[in-house]
Amino acid sequence: MLKKINDFLAGVPATIVAGIFLLLDLVPHLMEEFGGSAVNFNFLPFDLAWVTVIISGIPILYLAVWRVIYNPGISKISSALLISIAMIAAIALGDLFAAGEVAWIMAIGEILEEKTTDRAKKGLKKLISLAPTQGRRIVGGKEELIPAEKISEGDILRILPGETIPVDGIIISGETSVDQSILTGESLPVDKAVGDSVFCGTINRFGSIDIRATKVGEDSSLQKLIRMVQEAEDKKAPMARIADVAASWLVPVALLIAVIAGIVTNDIVRAVTVLVVFCPCALVLATPTAIMAAIGQATKHGVIIKSGEALEKMGKVNTIAFDKTGTLTYGRLEVSDVISFDASIDENALLSMAASAEAKSEHPLGKAIVACAKTRNVPIMESDVFKMAAGKGIYAKIENRKLFCGNEAYLNENGVVLSEEIKQTIEALRSQGKASILAAEGTNCIGVLAMSDVLRPEAKAMVDRLHSMNTDIVLLTGDNQKTADYFARQVGIRQVRAQLLPEEKVSNITAIQNEGKDVCMIGDGVNDAPALKTANVGIAMGGLGSDIAVEAADVVLMSDDISKLPYLKRLSDATVKTVKFSIGLSMCINLLAVTLSVMGVLNPTTGALVHNAGSCFVVLIATLLYDRKFE
């Protein structure tokens, strides 16, 4: 009950009310200070500042007492404790405005910090929701649906097209294509046959398969992925509060100076004034206001920064690791090459035949061919016969022409012999990171259609700019080595680590960190979530990216514009410098105000105003970040 009341008083609506009452109480003080006609509220049975003291003061007093009771060692002493002492001293002296002012400024700082560091954790829940709930077990030749948690190692399971694979296993019967993007980020389904491994949480796209369970429950790939995100989340400590770190020595120093000033001058007013001006409100505001301005600046450029910690760490980053699919590339397949091996068939004729054959296919490669034909206005004919061999290819009969489209093994099975020239062409396409579909009529291979992910046009310039900022670039991808090498060459990345599962991406990032480097990871898929969490800073592609990757990241590029990365790094550097400057300024103002308080130049009310002015200076400096140009 007490915590609920405290949370309500510390909330935005209550703090706004406290600020209004403090402003109303300030008017008569200013009029009296400058010799004007005093405006008073004598018709009220209480001083207006009491409202501010109660609303903003109780949460600070609660926090100070809680830390004294529960925090270990020197951390018992905090800025909240010093402000509580100053507030109580001002009340004892009868200066309610001074008490209300220091409490309200502190409350504003708390709200700003909370707004800038509060981080959503919905992504983990979404990841957990991907875990399969049941499986189709084969016992005595019969199928039975059982809960996923009851599947044991060695059980035989049947996975139908469109179903999610409930455990890790090995295929013992059937062929198919499996969408493994949740784990590897691969843009294409992977063809699977007897003896191949399949993983929990991946989706069986085409053929029916029987598997033997090898890893179940907490040992499965998906559960490991979930566990890695949880563990990485736990490693993320919140940004250290500079004011509370400084308070460990500010509180004793302030109390000592106040006591000495009171004894030497024999004036309790001077002692209380020292406590009021020594309150580190400007110090508390320095970090959250600069961060708020920087976050606002970044938002204008389509960059969402979730915490001040991310800004601080981004300025220290010296190594950036990229995923490929959906990050350096768009993550969509397009036909890049149409190569005819038959002089009597030109490119458009080959595309028309292949698209007509693939028109009823659900495979991404087949769909890409059909989409290309439609874009080029190439005619697509209706097939009389259509058959699909899952994970291999398709057969179609169109106008009495028998057409085969698929991989080398599929064409070989159907009596198509490939010449060395054709094999060399296929190998050349593979070296460029392209997926190929061979087309044959009867036993004659008539051509090949190659598909490739599309590189973002801004990728190379962005990598060059980061290199010029002395930043190392690494490509971490689940794609095969040749595809990874090809795209890395295109953008100028020299360090390439391919064919990585999520845990291998994490181990690679950890290895780089163990070399003493600060790593930023950029990705867009569910499979990137653990790596995003493990890196010092995680950046997700927000437009096309997975919701889970977005939630796991510290920074989100809403427009998927990776050219914003150099801008983000410069903004981070500027923010850290602004925070340091503001802290230095607040300390100088405090030192001057303390000196004037000891000399008797300031009283609690004027001291509170000077103290307030220091806070305003800090906020003003921070707001300059908002409109600064970083391009």
Side-chain angles (χ1 to χ4, degrees), residues 444-613:
N444 179 36
C445 182
I446 58 176
V448 62
L449 296 93
M451 273 132 292
S452 174
D453 201 349
V454 181
L455 185 70
R456 293 180 186 272
E458 67 272 20
K460 188 177 189 317
M462 177 273 301
V463 169
D464 289 342
R465 289 172 71 187
L466 288 174
H467 276 143
S468 70
M469 298 169 72
N470 297 317
T471 305
D472 291 334
I473 310 293
V474 183
L475 182 62
L476 303 179
T477 178
D479 276 0
N480 66 70
Q481 190 69 50
K482 288 185 177 180
T483 300
D485 288 340
Y486 173 75
F487 280 101
R489 286 195 300 272
Q490 294 293 99
V491 297
I493 296 177
R494 293 180 286 274
Q495 299 182 58
V496 182
R497 304 176 190 185
Q499 295 173 266
L500 302 178
L501 289 171
E503 59 265 30
E504 292 171 324
K505 288 185 179 181
V506 169
S507 61
N508 272 273
I509 288 174
T510 303
I512 295 171
Q513 289 171 327
N514 290 339
E515 295 173 6
K517 296 180 179 180
D518 291 302
V519 183
C520 169
M521 173 69 191
I522 304 166
D524 81 314
V526 174
N527 61 292
D528 296 319
L532 291 171
K533 282 293 189 184
T534 302
N536 300 83
V537 180
I539 300 179
M541 309 293 279
L544 296 174
S546 155
D547 287 344
I548 293 165
V550 169
E551 295 294 348
D554 303 295
V555 181
V556 181
L557 303 179
M558 295 306 296
S559 59
D560 282 354
D561 186 358
I562 54 176
S563 67
K564 296 297 182 186
L565 292 174
Y567 154 80
L568 176 61
K569 200 166 188 321
R570 286 195 295 271
L571 174 64
S572 304
D573 291 337
T575 303
V576 172
K577 289 177 183 176
T578 299
V579 169
K580 290 180 178 178
F581 177 76
S582 295
I583 289 172
L585 178 64
S586 68
M587 297 300 289
C588 290
I589 291 174
N590 266 11
L591 181 61
L592 177 61
V594 168
T595 303
L596 294 176
S597 298
V598 172
M599 293 172 61
V601 176
L602 299 177
N603 59 39
T605 299
T606 54
L609 293 174
V610 169
H611 164 261
N612 204 0

Side-chain angles (χ1 to χ4, degrees), residues 186-373:
E186 290 171 285
S187 53
L188 293 173
V190 178
D191 295 334
K192 300 282 186 177
V194 173
D196 290 336
S197 297
V198 292
F199 305 101
C200 176
T202 59
I203 301 172
N204 180 26
R205 284 301 185 194
F206 303 109
S208 175
I209 55 173
D210 290 348
I211 69 170
R212 177 181 290 108
T214 56
K215 293 181 180 178
V216 300
E218 293 299 313
D219 293 328
S220 71
S221 300
L222 183 61
Q223 290 300 327
K224 285 181 180 178
L225 182 62
I226 292 170
R227 195 159 56 249
M228 278 190 291
V229 175
Q230 287 174 322
E231 290 171 356
E233 179 70 44
D234 292 339
K235 292 176 185 176
K236 291 282 189 180
M239 176 182 278
R241 298 192 55 184
I242 298 175
D244 279 342
V245 173
S248 61
W249 57 268
L250 271 179
V251 173
V253 169
L255 289 173
L256 181 63
I257 293 175
V259 169
I260 293 173
I263 294 173
V264 172
T265 63
N266 197 28
D267 186 355
I268 190 65
V269 174
R270 297 191 187 193
V272 174
T273 305
V274 168
L275 290 176
V276 169
V277 299
F278 223 127
C279 289
C281 292
L283 196 63
V284 170
L285 286 171
T287 300
T289 49
I291 288 168
M292 195 74 118
I295 288 175
Q297 153 86 249
T299 301
K300 291 192 299 183
H301 290 80
V303 180
I304 306 301
I305 302 170
K306 295 185 180 180
S307 72
E309 183 185 19
L311 269 174
E312 183 183 32
K313 289 185 175 180
M314 190 65 199
K316 300 176 183 177
V317 163
N318 49 30
T319 302
I320 296 182
F322 285 90
D323 177 45
K324 181 189 78 67
T325 306
T327 305
L328 292 174
T329 67
Y330 284 110
R332 65 170 184 258
L333 289 172
E334 290 185 1
V335 174
S336 57
D337 302 85
V338 180
I339 303 171
S340 174
F341 299 137
D342 189 323
S344 64
I345 301 174
D346 62 18
E347 281 191 15
N348 283 344
L350 175 61
L351 179 59
S352 176
M353 294 169 68
S356 299
E358 294 279 6
K360 296 177 181 178
S361 173
E362 291 296 319
H363 197 285
L365 294 181
K367 287 184 175 181
I369 292 172
V370 174
C372 178

